[in-house]
Amino acid sequence: MTNTDHILELLRRQPGLDDDRISELTGIKPRQQVNQICRRLENQGVLRRCTGVTGKIVNYPVEGFSKGDALPVKPTDSIAHQHQQSDLVRAKSAISDQRDPTRKITLELTPETLLILPCSGKKLPLYGVRDTGPRIIDYLPDDLASKLNSARRSVHRNYANVDEQTLVSAWRRYDGHLYKAAREELRDALDNGMHILILSGGYGVLLANEPIGIYQVRLNLAWWPKGLLEEVIASYTWRHKLKRVIAVVSRTTSYRSLLKRVDWRPTNAEEVVLLMPETVQRGAMVKAPRSQGEAISALISGKLNQGWRSSDGLRICAEKIQL
């Protein structure tokens, strides 16, 4: 039996288990593999994933529900709170607008928020791992998915030398200072269904839990067909009816340039905000990504505010993109 078969057999006997409990009872390790399988089964319509009474995401076989069944939800104190994702929205954050430091930009993570991150140069090899999980092409129109696949093959062949003998979810594969600082919070956010995209030198644009190989190149926009990556980001945003986009970037990188070129008008986005660490003169290669990771952690936990500083003393400033 495959791991998928073991999970489905268990859930038919004991519906309503969370991913941690499934991993414990089936012996499937790491726990993230259970999460990826359950997400894939949800996308295929085999499982329903919802917030249980403890606040964790739990899994039910669709065959065990009738259309009129109500899914269990975590008890709340107000009707309004029932429309928020459990344990994801904890507080609003307000930080300085870089164009006018006296003005604040309020940030809030909701189910309609898209978080966009850069990849990292350092990657974990994790030999023998073959993660499974969703891919961004699963959420794109067929013609756009075909274009992205073709462009990826070209980049892999001509520039990136991608090795896919192992496949590891991107948020686990990347191991730079940003991901070291934010990994646990990113895992929690993904478990709660948050939309997270990563801008990648080897893959262009990918889901944070999309399995990827090993490569050693930075994002070079000249390698990708003009307008393709921008269209992928816009299409994903439109498909999921996302209204707020929060991107963590540095001021002078291809990642920021790419996001500034996206045509957000056809999407549902009402606000696009870039979060950037302040300029640092010495140790930027370590301090800047570390501050980005710590800012992501603070944002997800609702602690990113006007007075926030990274462990290296850096502030994070915001820039609103004119839509």
Side-chain angles (χ1 to χ4, degrees):
M1 293 176 64
T2 66
N3 286 342
T4 298
D5 294 331
H6 284 299
I7 290 172
L8 287 174
E9 182 181 58
L10 174 63
L11 289 174
R12 290 185 184 110
R13 297 196 312 267
Q14 300 182 54
L17 298 175
D18 62 56
D19 296 351
D20 291 319
R21 186 64 173 149
I22 293 173
S23 177
E24 178 184 341
L25 293 175
T26 61
I28 298 173
K29 306 290 182 181
R31 166 213 174 273
Q32 179 62 17
Q33 187 176 354
V34 173
N35 177 265
Q36 291 164 351
I37 292 172
C38 289
R39 283 175 173 274
R40 174 169 53 79
L41 292 173
E42 180 186 34
N43 289 335
Q44 294 171 351
V46 178
L47 293 184
R48 288 194 189 180
R49 287 166 60 80
C50 57
T51 304
V53 295
T54 64
K56 285 189 173 183
I57 300 296
V58 294
N59 302 275
Y60 288 86
V62 168
E63 63 201 43
F65 281 90
S66 66
K67 289 185 178 180
D69 283 335
L71 298 176
V73 295
K74 185 179 179 181
T76 57
D77 296 327
S78 68
I79 296 298
H81 185 72
Q82 295 178 13
H83 299 289
Q84 297 177 347
Q85 284 175 292
S86 172
D87 295 333
L88 185 57
V89 181
R90 300 175 185 170
K92 292 182 178 180
S93 300
I95 62 176
S96 297
D97 184 335
Q98 73 154 0
R99 294 193 177 113
D100 179 4
T102 64
R103 179 172 169 267
K104 295 180 182 179
I105 294 177
T106 300
L107 304 173
E108 183 180 11
L109 298 183
T110 73
E112 296 174 326
T113 300
L114 171 62
L115 183 61
I116 301 179
L117 311 176
C119 62
S120 74
K122 185 177 180 182
K123 301 167 185 72
L124 289 174
L126 296 174
Y127 298 111
V129 176
R130 295 288 295 184
D131 280 350
T132 59
R135 302 170 299 168
I136 195 168
I137 62 171
D138 299 330
Y139 301 98
L140 301 176
D142 290 344
D143 60 336
L144 184 57
S146 178
K147 290 177 183 177
L148 179 59
N149 262 337
S150 177
R152 282 179 172 182
R153 287 194 297 270
S154 174
V155 170
H156 290 188
R157 182 174 60 252
N158 298 317
Y159 306 108
N161 192 29
V162 176
D163 180 355
E164 292 188 331
Q165 293 184 63
T166 61
L167 290 173
V168 180
S169 298
W171 70 275
R172 285 208 303 146
R173 173 74 86 185
Y174 294 126
D175 198 42
H177 295 285
L178 184 158
Y179 288 88
K180 286 180 184 294
R183 198 179 313 278
E184 290 305 311
E185 287 74 17
L186 289 174
R187 187 190 75 173
D188 290 345
L190 288 167
D191 283 352
N192 279 286
M194 186 171 180
H195 294 275
I196 306 177
L197 298 182
I198 296 176
L199 307 181
S200 160
Y203 289 83
V205 182
L206 51 84
L207 303 178
N209 51 353
E210 183 169 337
I212 62 171
I214 289 276
Y215 65 94
Q216 299 299 334
V217 295
R218 295 178 179 272
L219 179 64
N220 186 330
L221 297 180
W223 295 348
W224 300 89
K226 186 176 180 181
L228 173 63
L229 302 184
E230 295 91 328
E231 187 178 356
V232 168
I233 295 169
S235 178
Y236 184 91
T237 305
W238 176 85
R239 163 78 181 264
H240 294 281
K241 298 180 172 59
L242 303 174
K243 295 183 177 179
R244 175 181 288 109
V245 179
I246 300 174
V248 180
V249 295
S250 292
R251 284 185 173 85
T252 57
T253 60
S254 298
Y255 306 102
R256 179 172 180 263
S257 300
L258 172 60
L259 293 168
K260 296 275 281 187
R261 290 176 359 190
V262 174
D263 184 0
W264 300 100
R265 292 171 299 178
T267 73
N268 297 282
E270 298 172 356
E271 181 179 69
V272 179
V273 177
L274 305 182
L275 298 183
M276 300 167 290
E278 64 181 338
T279 303
V280 56
Q281 299 301 321
R282 302 180 66 178
M285 296 296 289
V286 172
K287 293 179 180 178
R290 183 159 57 207
S291 69
Q292 290 173 322
E294 291 172 356
I296 292 165
S297 175
L299 175 66
I300 292 173
S301 59
K303 298 176 182 177
L304 187 64
N305 54 41
Q306 191 82 347
W308 185 88
R309 297 288 188 279
S310 73
S311 59
D312 295 300
L314 299 185
R315 293 187 298 257
I316 289 288
C317 296
E319 175 188 350
K320 265 191 181 181
I321 292 180
Q322 190 68 37
L323 302 183

